[in-house]
Amino acid sequence: MLNLILFGPPGSGKGTQSLKIAEKFNLAHISTGDIFRSEIKNKTELGIKVQSIIEKGDLVPDPLLIEILENALNQLKGKSGYIFDGFPRTHQQAKDLDIMLEKRNDSISLVIALDVDQNEVVKRLLNRAQLEGRKDDTEEVILNRMEVYQNQTAPLISYYKKQGKFVQVNGMGSIEEIFKSISDQIQQLQH
Ligand code: ADP
């Protein structure tokens, strides 16, 4: 199976690129952010629990992630693997993911990080705030999300480097240029 993680700070374009990669390589797209937003919209028990955390830009507690992940991994239906978008975000989540995949005789194939400039990312997020009205896209919350990323998520780079699974692509440029860089990395893996 082809199991990818698209990695990068908030606003780096993971969502846009994951959808394109999922389509091109026939992968199940697992976006924990999308899952939470849908739970919040539908006012489910989980949605109500996580709403205020997400609106502050903090991370949802790890045990809640295991729950939704187990569910998401079961949605494979005829796909060639998964692309994880916005997950894992903590060391614990990365370990849990490895264990869950191992149980299925599977593993992460590659982690592809989008390398973007911090100022650019804040600009993109503020712009998205105006277009989509996401509650976690105010300046204060964006800065908190960046800090959370630096403190809790960026350390995963060394976790995956140690496993020899980490590559970086330039995340600045047009959507198509970035898509090509990511696709090239995946194709190299397949040869
Ligand atoms: P971004 O665009 O900032 O990368 P996402 O759409 O992936 O954000 O996620 C939005 C919010 O949902 C995060 O700020 C966080 O509160 C919550 N969230 C999403 N994925 C996770 C995760 N893997 N662990 C903890 N919280 C998460």
Side-chain angles (χ1 to χ4, degrees):
M1 297 258 252
L2 176 64
N3 300 318
L4 305 172
I5 295 172
L6 206 57
F7 194 84
S12 56
K14 298 186 297 283
T16 307
Q17 296 295 336
S18 299
L19 283 172
K20 291 172 72 73
I21 295 292
E23 197 190 347
K24 176 165 176 160
F25 294 92
N26 186 41
L27 304 175
H29 175 217
I30 300 184
S31 160
T32 47
D34 284 353
I35 295 172
F36 288 134
R37 277 186 288 279
S38 141
E39 299 279 334
I40 291 172
K41 202 168 133 212
N42 295 321
K43 300 195 162 57
T44 65
E45 206 180 311
L46 175 64
I48 292 163
K49 237 190 255 178
V50 301
Q51 182 162 16
S52 65
I53 303 173
I54 289 182
E55 286 176 3
K56 275 188 273 182
D58 290 331
L59 290 185
V60 171
D62 290 333
L64 292 180
L65 270 293
I66 301 190
E67 219 175 284
I68 64 168
L69 188 67
E70 195 71 71
N71 213 349
L73 289 180
N74 290 332
Q75 322 275 314
L76 193 58
K77 297 187 213 97
K79 301 283 183 187
S80 313
Y82 304 101
I83 181 160
F84 298 98
D85 160 10
F87 180 89
R89 264 175 149 98
T90 65
H91 212 248
Q92 187 61 47
Q93 290 177 17
K95 284 194 275 186
D96 290 337
L97 177 61
D98 278 349
I99 292 168
M100 262 188 234
L101 288 173
E102 218 170 277
K103 272 195 214 145
R104 294 160 198 258
N105 287 318
D106 212 345
S107 62
I108 291 297
S109 318
L110 191 66
V111 179
I112 303 168
L114 292 172
D115 187 22
V116 289
D117 160 315
Q118 174 109 1
N119 293 333
E120 168 72 17
V121 158
V122 174
K123 229 188 324 177
R124 284 187 195 171
L125 289 172
L126 286 172
N127 191 33
R128 181 169 79 187
Q130 281 178 341
L131 296 175
E132 295 177 13
R134 255 176 65 164
K135 283 231 176 74
D136 60 348
D137 278 346
T138 64
E139 191 155 6
E140 191 191 344
V141 176
I142 289 170
L143 292 176
N144 186 38
R145 279 157 61 204
M146 291 299 191
E147 202 177 309
V148 168
Y149 172 80
Q150 285 307 333
N151 294 337
Q152 304 195 52
T153 307
L156 291 184
I157 294 171
S158 73
Y159 179 85
Y160 288 111
K161 274 190 177 161
K162 274 186 208 138
Q163 297 188 9
K165 291 177 176 172
F166 187 84
V167 296
Q168 207 164 32
V169 302
N170 184 1
M172 309 286 288
S174 73
I175 290 177
E176 288 308 319
E177 277 162 357
I178 300 166
F179 179 51
K180 179 159 191 314
S181 309
I182 299 172
S183 299
D184 286 349
Q185 290 289 345
I186 300 169
Q187 271 148 358
Q188 272 179 41
L189 194 69
Q190 293 176 319
H191 289 143

